[in-house]
Amino acid sequence: MQIDIQKLKSGNIRSLSKFITLIESKKAEHQKEAQELLNEILPLTGKSIRIGISGTPGVGKSTFIESLGLLLINKGLKVAVLAIDPSSPLSGGSLLGDKTRMEKLAQEKNAFIRPTPSSGNLGGVALKTREVMLACEAAGYDVVLIETVGVGQSEYDVANIVDLFTVLLLPGGGDELQGIKKGIIELCDNIVINKADGDNKQKAHDTMVQYKSALGVIKTDRKIGANVMMASALENKGVTEYWDLIEKIYQENQEKIQLKRKRQNQDWLKKLFNELLENRVRANPSLQSEWTKLNDNILNEVETPLSAANKLIHILFNN
Ligand SMILES: Nc1nc2c(ncn2[C@@H]2O[C@H](COP(=O)(O)OP(=O)(O)O)[C@@H](O)[C@H]2O)c(=O)[nH]1
Ligand SMILES: [Mg+2]
C-alpha cells in the first residue's frame, strides 16, 4: 500500500485513512509494512494531548467527547476521536441512545472520528488504538480522545496508552452500582460526575464530595492528577472547566507526562515480548508434544514442575 508520509504530515485524510487500514490489517505483510511506517513517523509523534475517557455504557462518554471536541475545534485545535467500537460483540452490541456517531463533531473538518476494532490479537484492544493514535499525531492532531467501551481489561490497557485517564460517573450510586471497578478509580486522573442537570444536580454534588474524599486517600506514583468535578455533557456545562483543568495539569506536569510515556513504552515492550514468546511456544510442535509428556509426568508425580519447565526451556532455546 502506497502511503506518502509528506501527505500524511500535511494532514491529508486519505493518507491517514489508508495508513490506519494498514495498521488494522491482519495480513502479515501489511503488519510488517505498518511497523516500518510507524518507525519512520515516530519523530513526528508525541506532540498531542492524549486523553482516555472511560465509564459505564450510557454514562455519556460520547456526548461528553462531542461537547469537548467542539470546544477544542473552536479553540483552533485539531481533534482525533478514537472510539473503541461499541458495536462489537465484546461490549454486547450498541446501546439505546448511543451517541457514537457524534454527528455535529463529525461535520467539522478539523475533527477525525474513527472507531477502532475492539477485538485485538496481539496486545489486545489497545495496541492498534495506540498505533492509530501515533498516525493521527503524525497527521497533526493536537488532541487525541479515546473513548473506551467501559468494561473489562480494555480499560486498563487504554489507561496505559494515554497521558490522562478520565472516568465519567453517574450521580448517586456506589462503585458497584455503576459497574466501575475500584482499580479504575485508582488509576484515573480525573473523575467527572456527568448528567449533573435537572433533578440530578444535588445528587451529583453529593457524589462529587464523596469521590473527592475517596480520591484523597489513594496514592500512586502513576497518577498525575486527582480531581473530581461535575458536568452536564448534554447541556454543555462543566466541559470548559474540564478542559481548563487538563491544560493546567499539562502545564504543571510536563516532566511527569514524559516520564509516564516512557514507562508506558517499556511496559509495552515487556507485554509484547511476552505475548510473542507465548505465540512462538504455542506454534512449536516439538515443544507441544514434550509439554504433553511433561504435563503427565507432573500429574503422575514422577517429576517436579521446575525440572519439567527447565526441559521445555532447553527445547525452546536449544541448550
Ligand atoms: N441528562 C443528561 N443526559 C445525558 C448527558 N450526557 C449524555 N446523556 C444521555 O445519555 C445517553 C447515553 O449517552 P452516550 O453519550 O451515548 O453514552 P456512552 O455510552 O457513555 O457513550 C444519551 O441518551 C445521552 O443523550 C448529560 O449530561 N445529561
Ligand atoms: Mg459511546
PDB file of all heavy atoms in Angstrom, residues 61-62 86 98-100 147, ligand 2:
ATOM      1  N   LYS A  61     -20.250   9.215  27.691  1.00  0.00           N
ATOM      2  CA  LYS A  61     -18.883   9.402  27.159  1.00  0.00           C
ATOM      3  C   LYS A  61     -18.906  10.079  25.783  1.00  0.00           C
ATOM      4  O   LYS A  61     -18.208  11.061  25.565  1.00  0.00           O
ATOM      5  CB  LYS A  61     -18.149   8.051  27.040  1.00  0.00           C
ATOM      6  CG  LYS A  61     -17.910   7.350  28.361  1.00  0.00           C
ATOM      7  CD  LYS A  61     -17.186   6.019  28.165  1.00  0.00           C
ATOM      8  CE  LYS A  61     -17.992   4.962  27.423  1.00  0.00           C
ATOM      9  NZ  LYS A  61     -19.198   4.497  28.142  1.00  0.00           N
ATOM     10  N   SER A  62     -19.703   9.523  24.875  1.00  0.00           N
ATOM     11  CA  SER A  62     -19.722  10.071  23.513  1.00  0.00           C
ATOM     12  C   SER A  62     -20.262  11.490  23.497  1.00  0.00           C
ATOM     13  O   SER A  62     -19.732  12.359  22.793  1.00  0.00           O
ATOM     14  CB  SER A  62     -20.558   9.179  22.587  1.00  0.00           C
ATOM     15  OG  SER A  62     -20.028   7.874  22.562  1.00  0.00           O
ATOM     16  N   PRO A  86     -18.122   0.150  19.910  1.00  0.00           N
ATOM     17  CA  PRO A  86     -19.100  -0.406  20.849  1.00  0.00           C
ATOM     18  C   PRO A  86     -20.073  -1.377  20.191  1.00  0.00           C
ATOM     19  O   PRO A  86     -20.834  -2.042  20.873  1.00  0.00           O
ATOM     20  CB  PRO A  86     -19.844   0.835  21.347  1.00  0.00           C
ATOM     21  CG  PRO A  86     -19.733   1.810  20.226  1.00  0.00           C
ATOM     22  CD  PRO A  86     -18.496   1.473  19.440  1.00  0.00           C
ATOM     23  N   ASP A  98     -27.214   5.591  21.957  1.00  0.00           N
ATOM     24  CA  ASP A  98     -25.775   5.733  21.817  1.00  0.00           C
ATOM     25  C   ASP A  98     -25.420   6.864  20.852  1.00  0.00           C
ATOM     26  O   ASP A  98     -25.976   6.992  19.779  1.00  0.00           O
ATOM     27  CB  ASP A  98     -25.181   4.418  21.311  1.00  0.00           C
ATOM     28  CG  ASP A  98     -23.687   4.441  21.382  1.00  0.00           C
ATOM     29  OD1 ASP A  98     -23.158   4.071  22.433  1.00  0.00           O
ATOM     30  OD2 ASP A  98     -23.051   4.844  20.389  1.00  0.00           O
ATOM     31  N   LYS A  99     -24.488   7.689  21.294  1.00  0.00           N
ATOM     32  CA  LYS A  99     -24.125   8.872  20.502  1.00  0.00           C
ATOM     33  C   LYS A  99     -22.773   8.682  19.804  1.00  0.00           C
ATOM     34  O   LYS A  99     -22.071   9.639  19.537  1.00  0.00           O
ATOM     35  CB  LYS A  99     -24.049  10.103  21.417  1.00  0.00           C
ATOM     36  CG  LYS A  99     -25.379  10.527  21.994  1.00  0.00           C
ATOM     37  CD  LYS A  99     -26.192  11.321  20.963  1.00  0.00           C
ATOM     38  CE  LYS A  99     -27.387  11.971  21.593  1.00  0.00           C
ATOM     39  NZ  LYS A  99     -28.372  11.007  22.076  1.00  0.00           N
ATOM     40  N   THR A 100     -22.455   7.425  19.535  1.00  0.00           N
ATOM     41  CA  THR A 100     -21.146   7.122  18.977  1.00  0.00           C
ATOM     42  C   THR A 100     -20.822   7.920  17.721  1.00  0.00           C
ATOM     43  O   THR A 100     -19.683   8.277  17.484  1.00  0.00           O
ATOM     44  CB  THR A 100     -21.060   5.618  18.656  1.00  0.00           C
ATOM     45  OG1 THR A 100     -21.413   4.925  19.816  1.00  0.00           O
ATOM     46  CG2 THR A 100     -19.663   5.216  18.252  1.00  0.00           C
ATOM     47  N   GLU A 147     -12.302   6.975  23.444  1.00  0.00           N
ATOM     48  CA  GLU A 147     -13.487   6.532  24.192  1.00  0.00           C
ATOM     49  C   GLU A 147     -13.399   5.021  24.389  1.00  0.00           C
ATOM     50  O   GLU A 147     -13.280   4.263  23.440  1.00  0.00           O
ATOM     51  CB  GLU A 147     -14.778   6.872  23.433  1.00  0.00           C
ATOM     52  CG  GLU A 147     -16.011   6.334  24.164  1.00  0.00           C
ATOM     53  CD  GLU A 147     -17.341   6.685  23.497  1.00  0.00           C
ATOM     54  OE1 GLU A 147     -17.367   7.569  22.631  1.00  0.00           O
ATOM     55  OE2 GLU A 147     -18.347   6.055  23.860  1.00  0.00           O
TER      56      GLU A 147
HETATM   57 MG    MG B   2     -20.398   5.939  23.422  1.00  0.00          MG
END
